[in-house]
Every structure is written in C-alpha cells, then in structure tokens.
C-alpha cells in the first residue's frame, strides 16, 4: 500500500473539494497525546517505545470501523527519500522522518488520517481535510482519540490537561490550522497589515511547510498559538471566525482587482501560465509564485481550460523528494530544476487535454 | 516566544527566509511585522526555543549550569532542571509535578493561563468529568431558580446530588 502513496504524489484527500476551496486549501487538526508512566520518546527505552506502538495499534485494531482501512509503517523500514516524500505530502513531520527508534506512522488509506507514533510525543493524531472543514477534522480526531483512550492510559493532569513533551503544547495538546491561498491580499499589499492583526487574537502565521518554511506562492498557514486555558471548541471557533473573515477580505480584494485592473490581472496570469507551459528550468520558489498567479486567474475566470486543482497537485509534486521519486533517481539541484519544469509541463498538458 | 526584533511583545508571525542557501527563522510581533515590508529584511537570528523557555523559567541557561543551586530531578525519568533548561522538553508526565513550582509562571507567559478547560478523557480524566458536569448543572440550576422554573430546578438538584454521591 505504501508504494501506492508514493506513486500518487499528491495525497488522495487533496482531490476532494471542500467549502471555500478556492481560498482555503486545507484544514488540519493535530492532537498530541502521551501514555502515563512511560517516558516521552526522547528519554524512552526501546521497550517503552514498542509498548506505545503496540498499545495504539491494538486499540485501533479493535475499532477497525473507527480508523477505517489503514496501514502501520515503521520509519526504520523506509529509506530517506520515501520519508521525505511523506513529509512533503504533510503526512508525517520532519521530526518523525529523522527518528528511527521505533517510530512509526499509521496511515489511513485515503491519507486524511495519520497517527504518528514516538515523534516528540508518544501519539500524534492528525486529520486533514480539503477546504474549510475544521469542525469535521476535529470530530474525527476526537473520535480516534476516544478509541485509543479506551485501552490506553493517557498522561493527563486535572489542572494542566494533556501532558506533552513541550510545554507549548500542554492543555488540549491541539493544534488546529488552515492553509490559505491569499494572492488578492498580497497583490493589493494588504497582507502584512492583516496578518499582523491575526497575532492579536492568539493565532500564529507560517509559510507553506510549517515552522521550516518561508512564505512563497502567497500560501499561509494559520494556527492556534496557545493550547492551555481555552476549550478545543473555542480555539476552533476563533480560528474559524478569523479564517472566514480572511476569505471575505480575500474575495473583496480579488473583486477590487478585477474591477480596477482586469486586463492587467489577465495578462499576469496568462504570462505565468505561458512561463509554466514553456519553462525548461524552474526553481520551486518561482514555480510556486507562478502557480499562485495561474490559480488566481483560474479562480477569477480569466484563464480557461486550466484545471483548478493544478496548484494543490503541483505544490506537492514539485518538491525535491517527490521529484526524485518521480525521476527514480537522486537529482542535484540543477537537475531538479529541469525535472520540475518537465513535471509542470506534463501536468499542464494533462489538464488542458482533459478540458479541451 | 518573544519578538526577536524588539523582545517586548510575543512573536506571532513566523517564517523562514533563505538567503544564499542559508536558512534563517524569523519570529516577530505584530508591530515589528507591520514595519517590515513584504516580510523582507535582515535580522541576525540567534533565537532558539530552548533559550526562550529557559528565559521564561527565570534564569539563563549558563547561570543554571554554573550555580547548580537547585538539584531538582524527576524520579520517574531522571530529567534534571539543567537538562530541561538545555532541551526545553520534559522527559515524562511526572516532570510536570516535579518542576511544577517553576513551571506555573512559564505556562502563564506562554499560554496566558495555567488551567486546562478543554477535553477531559474518559478514563484518565478520573473524576474531573463529573466535577465539570456538576458545575455546569449548578449554573443551570441558578438559571432555573432565577426564572422560577422550580420543577426543573428540583430535577437538576437531584442530578447534582446523585453525581456528588458518585464522587465520594
Ligand atoms: Zn517586536
Ligand atoms: Zn520526568
């Protein structure tokens, strides 16, 4: 089954559409959980980490309907490239990819659920949905959490809540986040003002690949900053409210741009499409920026016959490990830039043929 | 974490910039982020989570290592205060009790709160679920009395009594 994932570069859940999918690319909920009386992974022995995997595996096996068809994969059974592909698909964290000591991931067939074992915490439940579906993702994570807890004793404190390796996660242990494509706000130069306002309501803003990424292609990840003192529902409500406002502002900005400079906008996205269709060498940064402009053009009806999911797919496909998986060999950065241009051209051919 | 530019306000905007293949993490408060145009400026980032957390514990890591005044150690996982200062991570759930006293001000500064009001797990949560339920019921009891819905109030009162018996 794992070969399947690696063959189909973009995750299956991405193919789905969700509410506000033209602006909200995805919604994610992550729960950090630890078992009682077992040291956290950084200080745990082999017996301990094995116990974590077995306990989680057993509890979810008994509840097959809860998690659905899934597979457990040990990190030590994967080569570096395979791990990196999973990181680029947001299925595992960069930290898990680095860990070999009885670290594992339980992946649901559609890749919408991944449960990381022995990462920074014993158990990290992650649910990913396309579009703005935070509540749905929360419900699923909550349900899986209950299933695991039926046979696992969690480290929980009446006053501090769920105990985690890092004090920045203690309490709910929950990180809720949305990935947004905001080219309208960026083009109209409102983005800095708006993003800085977000900080005032307890949310944090990051680039495409979480903590280790710069903001490129106008893609922003917004998540709750604190985990203690508020209920999960309130945290989600807060993030949901801010996201909806951002969607509104982005729509407004797009409309204004359309009213004021439609021809320039059409020119910009048309040129971006031309570059992507004809480039022979392209960096990931340039590709993401052009893809952002193309996607905006598609969303606004300025570019016809281009598949709107082009950005979601290529965002993953053009990353280094996915490229090398596709090329079936190691590539140096220059070769990657060539391979990247090739993949983009193929993907564009595919989508335009399909439409026309 | 605090803003790396002014160190006065919490950092709420985070990203990584890459210049000449060198990655730099940038963490800014809303004021400094606003001043920076298009996320583009040069700041020498010497930020690390460890130092940050240690700072919140009320001392810098060098001090702790040299003076070694507090020989606090977790008896379950063996983590010492010095190790925590270095890693910024706890070793087990028990650590939260062991380092509890120093922990509170740190949690207060990270989260603005020191008490959990979210999900209570069914098993590990023990009696907390019942206690939460009781305080919810007490609130609705007050509302019923205020609205003079005495029949419903009596029902709620009985339910509270039953739950309180369960606690004993
Ligand atoms: Zn500042
Ligand atoms: Zn400990």
């Amino acid at each position: 089954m794992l070969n399947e994932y690696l063959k189909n570069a973009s995750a299956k859940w991405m193919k789905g559409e969700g509410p506000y999918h033209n602006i909200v690319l995805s919604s994610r909920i992550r729960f950090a959980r630890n078992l009682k009386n077992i040291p956290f992974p950084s200080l745990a022995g082999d017996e301990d980490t094995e116990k974590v995997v077995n306990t989680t595996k057993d509890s979810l096996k008994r509840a097959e309907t809860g998690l659905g068809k899934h597979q457990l994969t040990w990190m030590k059974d994967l080569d570096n490239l395979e791990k990196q592909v999973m990181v680029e698909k947001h299925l595992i964290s960069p930290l898990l990819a680095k860990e070999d000591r009885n670290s594992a991931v339980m992946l649901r067939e559609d890749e919408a659920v991944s449960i990381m074992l022995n990462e920074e915490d014993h158990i990290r439940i992650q649910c990913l949905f396309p579009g703005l579906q935070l509540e749905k993702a929360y419900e699923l994570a909550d349900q899986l959490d209950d299933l695991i807890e039926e046979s696992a004793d969690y480290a929980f404190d009446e006053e501090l809540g769920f105990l985690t390796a890092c004090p920045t996660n203690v309490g709910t242990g929950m990180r809720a986040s949305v990935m947004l494509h905001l080219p309208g706000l960026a083009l109209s130069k409102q983005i800095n003002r708006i993003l800085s306002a977000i900080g005032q309501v307890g949310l944090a803003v990051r680039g495409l690949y979480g903590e280790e990424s710069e903001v490129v292609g106008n893609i922003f990840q917004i998540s709750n900053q604190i985990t203690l003192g508020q209920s999960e529902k309130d945290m989600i409500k807060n993030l949901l409210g801010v996201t909806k406002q951002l969607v509104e502002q982005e729509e407004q900005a797009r409309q204004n741009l359309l009213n004021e400079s439609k021809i320039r906008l059409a020119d910009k996205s048309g040129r971006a499409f031309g570059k992507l269709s004809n480039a022979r060498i392209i960096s990931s940064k340039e590709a993401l920026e052009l893809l952002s402009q193309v996607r905006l053009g598609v969303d606004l009806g300025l570019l016809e016959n281009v598949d709107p999911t082009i950005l979601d797919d290529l965002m993953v496909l053009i990353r280094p490990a996915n490229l090398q998986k596709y090329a079936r060999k190691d590539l140096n950065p220059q070769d990657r830039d060539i391979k990247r241009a090739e993949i983009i051209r193929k993907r564009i051919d595919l989508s335009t043929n399909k439409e026309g | 974490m605090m803003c790396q530019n002014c160190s006065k306000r919490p950092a709420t905007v985070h990203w990584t910039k890459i210049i000449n293949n060198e990655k730099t993490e940038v963490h800014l408060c809303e004021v400094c982020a606003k001043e920076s145009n298009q996320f583009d400026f040069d700041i020498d980032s010497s930020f690390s989570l460890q130092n940050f957390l240690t700072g919140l514990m009320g001392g810098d890591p060098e001090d702790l290592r040299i003076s070694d005044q507090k020989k606090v150690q977790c008896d379950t996982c063996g983590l010492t205060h010095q190790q925590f200062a270095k890693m910024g991570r706890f070793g087990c759930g028990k650590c939260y009790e062991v380092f509890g006293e120093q922990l509170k001000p740190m949690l207060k500064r990270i989260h603005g709160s020191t008490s959990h009001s979210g999900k209570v797990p069914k098993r590990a949560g023990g009696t907390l679920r019942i206690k939460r339920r009781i305080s919810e019921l007490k609130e609705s009891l007050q509302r019923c009395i205020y609205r003079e819905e005495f029949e419903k109030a009596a029902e709620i009162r009985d339910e509270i009594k039953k739950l309180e018996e369960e606690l004993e």
Side-chain angles (χ1 to χ4, degrees), chain A residues 129-143:
Chain A
F129 279 78
L132 187 55
Q133 303 193 69
L134 279 172
E135 283 148 321
K136 213 172 147 192
Y138 173 77
E139 271 167 38
L140 181 56
D142 185 44
Q143 184 196 340

Side-chain angles (χ1 to χ4, degrees), chain A residues 27 40 48 52 137 153 311 328:
Chain A
S27 303
F40 298 150
D48 298 325
V52 168
D153 278 319
L311 175 63
R328 289 169 210 275

Side-chain angles (χ1 to χ4, degrees), chain A residues 144-162:
Chain A
L144 293 168
D145 185 40
D146 286 346
L147 288 175
I148 295 170
E149 208 235 345
E150 273 178 28
S151 45
D153 278 319
Y154 279 157
F156 181 84
D157 179 84
E158 289 212 353
E159 186 162 9
L160 295 176
F162 293 96

Side-chain angles (χ1 to χ4, degrees), chain A residues 122-193:
Chain A
H122 290 146
I123 302 167
R124 286 195 164 188
I125 304 166
Q126 174 182 280
C127 296
L128 270 162
F129 279 78
L132 187 55
Q133 303 193 69
L134 279 172
E135 283 148 321
K136 213 172 147 192
Y138 173 77
E139 271 167 38
L140 181 56
D142 185 44
Q143 184 196 340
L144 293 168
D145 185 40
D146 286 346
L147 288 175
I148 295 170
E149 208 235 345
E150 273 178 28
S151 45
D153 278 319
Y154 279 157
F156 181 84
D157 179 84
E158 289 212 353
E159 186 162 9
L160 295 176
F162 293 96
L163 303 177
T164 51
C166 186
T168 55
N169 293 318
V170 76
T172 60
M174 183 183 80
R175 210 57 78 177
S177 59
V178 288
M179 195 129 77
L180 305 173
H181 182 224
L182 304 174
L185 289 172
L187 273 172
S188 55
K189 307 240 183 278
Q190 302 175 68
I191 197 82
N192 283 356
R193 184 177 57 80

Side-chain angles (χ1 to χ4, degrees), chain B residues 58-113:
Chain B
D60 90 73
E62 293 303 323
D63 280 358
L64 284 164
R65 245 166 275 144
I66 298 160
S67 64
D68 200 11
Q69 346 97 319
K70 285 182 195 130
K71 282 242 188 271
V72 186
Q73 184 171 20
C74 174
D75 54 13
T76 303
C77 69
L79 191 85
T80 62
H81 188 277
Q82 284 79 359
Q83 275 175 304
F84 172 75
K86 218 172 134 200
M87 305 194 311
R89 299 283 186 281
F90 287 122
C92 72
K94 188 79 189 300
C95 288
Y96 278 90
E97 265 174 59
V98 178
F99 302 108
E101 211 177 294
Q102 294 131 295
L103 188 61
K104 284 275 163 72
M106 177 177 84
L107 291 176
K108 182 94 191 158
R109 290 175 72 175
I110 296 175
H111 299 286
S113 167

Side-chain angles (χ1 to χ4, degrees), chain A residues 31 33 35-44 120 138 141-143 145-146 149-172 175 186 189 191-193 195-200 203-207 210-215 220 225-232, chain B residues 1 10-19 23 25-27 29-31 33-40 49 52-53 76-79 83-84 87-97 100 103-104 106-129 131-132:
Chain A
F31 285 173
R33 299 289 186 256
L35 302 187
K36 205 176 168 180
N37 299 327
I38 298 179
F40 298 150
S42 67
L43 291 183
E120 182 177 289
Y138 173 77
D142 185 44
Q143 184 196 340
D145 185 40
D146 286 346
E149 208 235 345
E150 273 178 28
S151 45
D153 278 319
Y154 279 157
F156 181 84
D157 179 84
E158 289 212 353
E159 186 162 9
L160 295 176
F162 293 96
L163 303 177
T164 51
C166 186
T168 55
N169 293 318
V170 76
T172 60
R175 210 57 78 177
K189 307 240 183 278
I191 197 82
N192 283 356
R193 184 177 57 80
L195 292 183
S196 60
I198 284 170
Q200 293 168 352
L203 300 174
V205 185
R206 293 188 166 84
E211 284 163 45
E212 285 188 22
S213 72
E214 59 177 336
V215 173
F220 299 86
Q225 176 100 325
I226 62 162
T227 54
L228 188 61
Q230 277 182 353
S231 72
E232 291 86 351
Chain B
M1 71 186 62
T12 49
V13 181
H14 314 262
W15 74 95
T16 305
K17 57 196 284 181
I18 299 166
I19 298 164
K23 261 191 189 175
E25 283 202 41
V26 185
H27 308 270
C29 69
E30 67 261 15
V31 178
K34 208 180 286 183
E35 277 168 16
S36 81
N37 196 27
Q38 295 293 313
F39 292 123
D40 185 28
L49 184 67
F52 165 72
L53 289 173
T76 303
C77 69
L79 191 85
Q83 275 175 304
F84 172 75
M87 305 194 311
R89 299 283 186 281
F90 287 122
C92 72
K94 188 79 189 300
C95 288
Y96 278 90
E97 265 174 59
L103 188 61
K104 284 275 163 72
M106 177 177 84
L107 291 176
K108 182 94 191 158
R109 290 175 72 175
I110 296 175
H111 299 286
S113 167
T114 56
S115 70
H116 176 60
S117 55
K119 181 174 180 175
V120 177
K122 285 190 189 76
R123 279 153 35 91
T127 57
L128 185 56
R129 282 173 89 89
K131 287 182 201 154
R132 287 261 181 95

